């Protein structure tokens, strides 16, 4: 079973570089971890990862695609980390943002996407379904540089929750 297990929505310096000037390493420091928490390999082909996006000035969010998987098998315990930004290879990723994942993918867009001033949700979908098969929410204003971990259906600071 594929689940969101960790998310780093507010990397150090993000708010100071939000509208330009961010480096590839800063973008890659914003990420989400998806893990096969089951005991059998799973096919991730067709799975879509989404989050809640807001139009400027809007109070209602809408689901926006983070990425989708065209193919792939994930063995039990393996983790896919999806980083913000274009794929410039893992050489641009800081060591602390490389650790703990088996695979590193990128959103393909040079922009941050996880919300800071509003709550957000990492959700996993099968095409054609009206509801996600997994969803994990976090509260607005996550602390800068903190990794959030899964606790029930919430993502909370690592010192509070458990993976």
């Amino acid at each position: 079973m594929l689940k969101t297990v960790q998310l780093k929505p507010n990397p150090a310096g993000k708010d100071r570089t939000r509208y330009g000037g961010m480096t590839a390493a800063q973008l890659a420091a914003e990420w989400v971890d998806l893990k096969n928490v089951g005991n059998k390999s799973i096919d991730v082909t067709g799975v879509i990862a989404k989050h809640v996006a807001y139009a400027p000035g809007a109070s209602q969010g809408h689901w926006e695609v983070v990425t989708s998987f065209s193919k792939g098998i994930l063995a039990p315990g393996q983790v896919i980390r999806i980083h913000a930004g274009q794929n410039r290879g893992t050489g641009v990723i800081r060591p602390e943002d490389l650790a703990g994942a088996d695979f590193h993918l990128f959103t393909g867009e040079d922009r941050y996407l996880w919300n800071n001033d509003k709550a957000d949700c990492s959700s996993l979908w099968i095409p054609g379904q009206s509801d996600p098969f997994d969803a994990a929410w976090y509260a607005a204003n996550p602390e800068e540089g903190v990794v959030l971990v899964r606790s029930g259906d919430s993502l909370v600071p690592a010192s509070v929750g458990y993976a």
Side-chain angles (χ1 to χ4, degrees), residues 7 9 14 30 50-54 62-64 66 113-123 135-142 148 153-155:
L7 190 129
K14 174 181 175 180
E30 184 183 79
K50 297 181 182 183
H51 83 109
V52 179
Y54 293 85
H62 63 277
W63 291 115
E64 178 180 79
V66 172
L113 58 105
W114 299 101
N115 299 321
N116 289 167
D117 61 338
K118 295 179 175 63
D120 205 343
C121 179
S122 173
S123 60
W137 290 87
Y138 66 89
N141 303 309
L148 306 178
D153 287 334
S154 298
L155 292 160

Side-chain angles (χ1 to χ4, degrees), residues 41-64:
S41 291
I42 56 172
D43 186 351
V44 297
T45 304
V47 171
I48 302 166
K50 297 181 182 183
H51 83 109
V52 179
Y54 293 85
S59 60
Q60 288 285 88
H62 63 277
W63 291 115
E64 178 180 79

Side-chain angles (χ1 to χ4, degrees), residues 94-108:
R94 296 176 181 140
E96 64 269 21
D97 295 315
L98 276 172
D102 300 289
F103 304 99
H104 296 270
L105 305 176
F106 296 83
T107 61

Side-chain angles (χ1 to χ4, degrees), residues 51-103:
H51 83 109
V52 179
Y54 293 85
S59 60
Q60 288 285 88
H62 63 277
W63 291 115
E64 178 180 79
V65 173
V66 172
T67 196
S68 60
F69 300 99
S70 57
K71 65 179 181 173
I73 302 292
L74 201 60
Q78 285 189 318
V79 174
I80 299 169
R81 181 165 291 163
I82 304 167
H83 300 269
Q86 297 285 336
N87 183 353
R88 294 178 178 89
T90 57
V92 302
I93 302 173
R94 296 176 181 140
E96 64 269 21
D97 295 315
L98 276 172
D102 300 289
F103 304 99

Side-chain angles (χ1 to χ4, degrees), residues 135-161:
W137 290 87
Y138 66 89
N141 303 309
E143 190 176 335
E144 189 172 287
V146 170
V147 174
L148 306 178
V149 297
R150 182 86 178 235
S151 179
D153 287 334
S154 298
L155 292 160
V156 298
S159 60
V160 176

